[in-house]
Amino acid sequence: MSLQTSSYSHLDISNIKSSCATCSLRELCLPVGLNTQEIQKLGDVVSHKRKIPRGGYLHHTGTKFQSLFAIRSGFLKTCVLEQDGRQQVTGFHMTGELLGLDAISSEIHTCDAVALEDSEVCEIPFAKLEEISLSIPSLMHHFHKIMSREIVRDHGVMLLLGSMKAEERLASFLLNLSRRFSIRGYSEYNFNLRMTREEIGSYLGLKLETVSRAFSKLQDESIITVDNKHIQINDIDRLRLKMGNSSCAT
Amino acid sequence: MSLQTSSYSHLDISNIKSSCATCSLRELCLPVGLNTQEIQKLGDVVSHKRKIPRGGYLHHTGTKFQSLFAIRSGFLKTCVLEQDGRQQVTGFHMTGELLGLDAISSEIHTCDAVALEDSEVCEIPFAKLEEISLSIPSLMHHFHKIMSREIVRDHGVMLLLGSMKAEERLASFLLNLSRRFSIRGYSEYNFNLRMTREEIGSYLGLKLETVSRAFSKLQDESIITVDNKHIQINDIDRLRLKMGNSSCAT
DNA sequence: TATGTTAATTGATCTTGATCAATGAACCTT
DNA sequence: AAGGTTCATTGATCAAGATCAATTAACATA
């Protein structure tokens, strides 16, 4: 299974002409119910495509913010570099998601965005997006929802980091990935991780050894099958039970 | 020192007539540079005041979202209730801050907001705010910055929860409070905590005993002086050092 | 294909913070 | 002011996860 392949088959995009406008569909366009003219406006703004090879940077911490990026294909992580040189992963991002929301406030990127596989993004000049939002209320409203959703997502991670133990965190993480793959038309039971154990650990507030042990534990219980980066979920219900008390899966 | 008392003395609000429009000044109005007419528009939207007694709820998880709330005075916490009945604090909020951003996405409140002291808020009907945003670009832009700032803040907490140890977390927390008091015209070295050790612990991902021990440790080192809820910062530089590696203080 | 490099697993030990428990201080309420 | 309740501190013990270390597996590059 290749995750690089775009899969919009279940979405109605037949009325969209510009190939690049499609990149922001999932989050930015489709749910809003724009008319043809509005889609045209948005398409004009979202025009510039950019390819990022595996390991390449979409943006660096400290650089000037000008555009949001809609992921057209691929998989990226965002991370902050701490004084001591260690890095903390703040998120993993896949097709259809929007990057750069954190940079709006200071107009400076507060994190690095790194491609974990060859990726393609659409650049969305933020000033232009705001400009056309003024004439497309539903677009503005939808954008507010996207930002809000990001806040909810972060609260979920805070909850995870603040109150769950290692195994629960990993279960929560896998279920989250599973759901996101599923939404994009991939199997929710079989997928390849794009990130290392260390990156997972960084995201989950654990050391890589602890992540590895948690994987092994879940495998010993036959809940998942782990083959290096390939994960198979054998019993998603029991995996859900692992999360236990925590209300938020995010 | 009473924190209940509003303190806008260092801000120029001389041109604002409506007493309630002032409540959202710090975050929503002032920095934007609105003209008189625009301020009038905003004042019309932000008209309804609400008092919340200590221990009272501003909103409950699961209820319908209609309005943002700008804190006019007081101190609140937001928290989510987990299945097992334990609650996790997701934030502490003071004068001038905006509550409810998380609820925009689903139009359902995702957390409880509880007053930790007698508080007063201004209700900002969100639909109306969006409506007038369409005609006041700078207001819309400023609102986007506020949402973005919330995301940055949350990333900071994620970093804290994911990579700092108990004493570093508490140092970070105290410095954050200190800065926010300072911005509002209060002493950055002397303040009263509005929340219990348990609530601090919940927010920082620690047990109350650990919080208490961390306080004692910092006091033993003469960095702070703790007298129950009253905190005095004796050596803010050493307190900053305590945070160590972590890049973000939030 | 060989070889160096990076990533993953697993074991042994140590540390931090959680848990259990007891005491004392603050704060309502009447 | 008295009594109950909540809150905070401190000590003793325990457990989860970090750290240290060794081995193996996967991957990249010559």
Side-chain angles (χ1 to χ4, degrees), chain A residues 124-172:
Chain A
I124 308 174
F126 184 62
K128 287 189 187 170
L129 180 65
E130 282 195 323
E131 195 188 314
I132 66 165
S133 292
L134 293 170
S135 61
I136 314 178
S138 62
L139 177 63
M140 180 184 76
H141 182 64
H142 187 64
F143 179 65
H144 292 161
K145 286 198 168 190
I146 289 173
M147 294 210 85
S148 174
R149 199 187 312 152
E150 177 68 19
I151 291 170
V152 173
R153 191 188 75 81
D154 290 345
H155 285 178
V157 177
M158 285 164 58
L159 218 57
L160 175 144
L161 293 171
S163 68
M164 293 171 69
K165 44 190 61 175
E167 223 183 315
E168 299 172 328
R169 294 185 197 189
L170 187 64
S172 180

Side-chain angles (χ1 to χ4, degrees), chain A residues 158-164 169, chain B residues 86-89 160-173 196-215 218:
Chain A
M158 285 164 58
L159 218 57
L160 175 144
L161 293 171
S163 68
M164 293 171 69
R169 294 185 197 189
Chain B
R86 277 257 52 72
Q87 69 169 211
Q88 160 115 5
V89 174
L160 175 144
L161 292 171
S163 68
M164 293 170 69
K165 44 189 63 175
E167 223 183 313
E168 299 172 329
R169 293 184 197 190
L170 187 63
S172 181
F173 173 72
T196 66
R197 302 292 192 259
E198 187 169 21
E199 286 163 334
I200 296 172
S202 175
Y203 181 61
L204 297 179
L206 301 169
K207 292 294 159 184
L208 70 97
E209 296 95 327
T210 306
V211 172
S212 183
R213 277 183 244 270
F215 269 123
L218 289 174

Side-chain angles (χ1 to χ4, degrees), chain A residues 170-188:
Chain A
L170 187 64
S172 180
F173 173 72
L174 291 174
L175 287 167
N176 174 255
L177 281 184
S178 167
R179 188 171 51 74
R180 287 156 76 196
F181 281 130
S182 165
I183 288 170
R184 285 159 182 78
Y186 301 111
S187 167
E188 65 185 302

Side-chain angles (χ1 to χ4, degrees), chain A residues 54 164-166 205-207 209-210 213 227-228:
Chain A
R54 185 166 182 279
M164 293 171 69
K165 44 190 61 175
L206 302 169
K207 291 295 158 183
E209 295 95 328
T210 306
R213 278 183 243 269
D227 179 13
N228 199 24

Side-chain angles (χ1 to χ4, degrees), chain A residues 7 12 47 51 55 69 88 104 106 143 176 192 218 240 247:
Chain A
S7 162
D12 175 15
S47 55
K51 282 180 194 291
F69 298 99
Q88 160 115 5
I104 294 170
S106 62
F143 179 65
N176 174 255
N192 285 297
L218 289 174
R240 290 205 181 97
S247 57

Side-chain angles (χ1 to χ4, degrees), chain B residues 119-177:
Chain B
S119 302
E120 198 175 0
V121 301
C122 284
E123 189 173 345
I124 307 174
F126 184 62
K128 288 191 188 170
L129 179 66
E130 282 194 324
E131 195 187 315
I132 66 165
S133 293
L134 293 170
S135 60
I136 314 179
S138 62
L139 177 63
M140 181 185 74
H141 181 63
H142 187 64
F143 178 65
H144 293 161
K145 286 197 168 192
I146 289 173
M147 294 209 85
S148 174
R149 199 187 312 153
E150 177 68 18
I151 292 170
V152 173
R153 190 188 77 81
D154 290 345
H155 285 177
V157 177
M158 285 164 58
L159 217 59
L160 175 144
L161 292 171
S163 68
M164 293 170 69
K165 44 189 63 175
E167 223 183 313
E168 299 172 329
R169 293 184 197 190
L170 187 63
S172 181
F173 173 72
L174 291 174
L175 287 167
N176 174 255
L177 281 184

Side-chain angles (χ1 to χ4, degrees), chain A residues 2-250:
Chain A
S2 165
L3 291 176
Q4 278 92 332
T5 317
S6 279
S7 162
Y8 289 109
S9 54
H10 61 302
L11 301 174
D12 175 15
I13 55 166
S14 50
N15 62 338
I16 310 263
K17 297 298 178 296
S18 154
S19 76
C20 198
T22 62
C23 69
S24 57
L25 279 182
R26 203 182 304 276
E27 282 230 311
L28 214 53
C29 318
L30 255 200
V32 202
L34 305 183
N35 64 35
T36 316
Q37 187 200 354
E38 289 166 342
I39 287 171
Q40 179 60 47
K41 267 191 196 173
L42 187 57
D44 290 346
V45 164
V46 184
S47 55
H48 187 231
K49 238 188 279 191
R50 207 167 123 194
K51 282 180 194 291
I52 322 282
R54 185 166 182 279
Y57 281 73
L58 174 58
H59 58 69
H60 288 82
T61 305
T63 56
K64 182 147 177 55
F65 163 77
Q66 303 212 295
S67 301
L68 298 174
F69 298 99
I71 304 173
R72 188 170 157 67
S73 67
F75 199 101
L76 297 93
K77 68 171 175 182
T78 42
C79 53
V80 297
L81 215 50
E82 308 188 40
Q83 267 90 325
D84 60 4
R86 278 257 52 72
Q87 68 170 210
Q88 160 115 5
V89 174
T90 56
F92 297 109
H93 312 276
M94 45 207 280
T95 307
E97 294 174 348
L98 210 51
L99 288 180
L101 298 175
D102 56 288
I104 294 170
S105 65
S106 62
E107 291 175 51
I108 299 284
H109 284 288
T110 64
C111 60
D112 293 335
V114 184
L116 294 181
E117 63 181 30
D118 292 350
S119 302
E120 198 174 1
V121 301
C122 284
E123 188 172 346
I124 308 174
F126 184 62
K128 287 189 187 170
L129 180 65
E130 282 195 323
E131 195 188 314
I132 66 165
S133 292
L134 293 170
S135 61
I136 314 178
S138 62
L139 177 63
M140 180 184 76
H141 182 64
H142 187 64
F143 179 65
H144 292 161
K145 286 198 168 190
I146 289 173
M147 294 210 85
S148 174
R149 199 187 312 152
E150 177 68 19
I151 291 170
V152 173
R153 191 188 75 81
D154 290 345
H155 285 178
V157 177
M158 285 164 58
L159 218 57
L160 175 144
L161 293 171
S163 68
M164 293 171 69
K165 44 190 61 175
E167 223 183 315
E168 299 172 328
R169 294 185 197 189
L170 187 64
S172 180
F173 173 72
L174 291 174
L175 287 167
N176 174 255
L177 281 184
S178 167
R179 188 171 51 74
R180 287 156 76 196
F181 281 130
S182 165
I183 288 170
R184 285 159 182 78
Y186 301 111
S187 167
E188 65 185 302
Y189 303 116
N190 273 283
F191 47 85
N192 285 297
L193 300 172
R194 287 311 184 284
M195 69 298 281
T196 66
R197 302 291 192 262
E198 187 170 21
E199 286 163 335
I200 296 172
S202 175
Y203 181 63
L204 298 179
L206 302 169
K207 291 295 158 183
L208 69 96
E209 295 95 328
T210 306
V211 172
S212 183
R213 278 183 243 269
F215 269 124
S216 300
K217 180 94 185 304
L218 289 174
Q219 179 161 244
D220 289 347
E221 301 178 66
S222 305
I223 295 173
I224 64 174
T225 304
V226 183
D227 179 13
N228 199 24
K229 291 254 165 79
H230 181 82
I231 302 295
Q232 179 173 332
I233 299 178
N234 302 316
D235 191 338
I236 202 164
D237 294 323
R238 277 206 293 154
L239 192 56
R240 290 205 181 97
L241 283 177
K242 279 285 169 189
M243 291 187 5
N245 50 344
S246 143
S247 57
C248 109
T250 330

Side-chain angles (χ1 to χ4, degrees), chain B residues 82-138:
Chain B
E82 309 187 41
Q83 267 91 323
D84 60 4
R86 277 257 52 72
Q87 69 169 211
Q88 160 115 5
V89 174
T90 57
F92 297 109
H93 311 277
M94 45 207 279
T95 307
E97 294 174 349
L98 211 52
L99 287 180
L101 298 176
D102 56 287
I104 294 170
S105 65
S106 62
E107 292 176 47
I108 300 284
H109 284 289
T110 63
C111 60
D112 293 335
V114 184
L116 295 181
E117 63 181 30
D118 292 350
S119 302
E120 198 175 0
V121 301
C122 284
E123 189 173 345
I124 307 174
F126 184 62
K128 288 191 188 170
L129 179 66
E130 282 194 324
E131 195 187 315
I132 66 165
S133 293
L134 293 170
S135 60
I136 314 179
S138 62

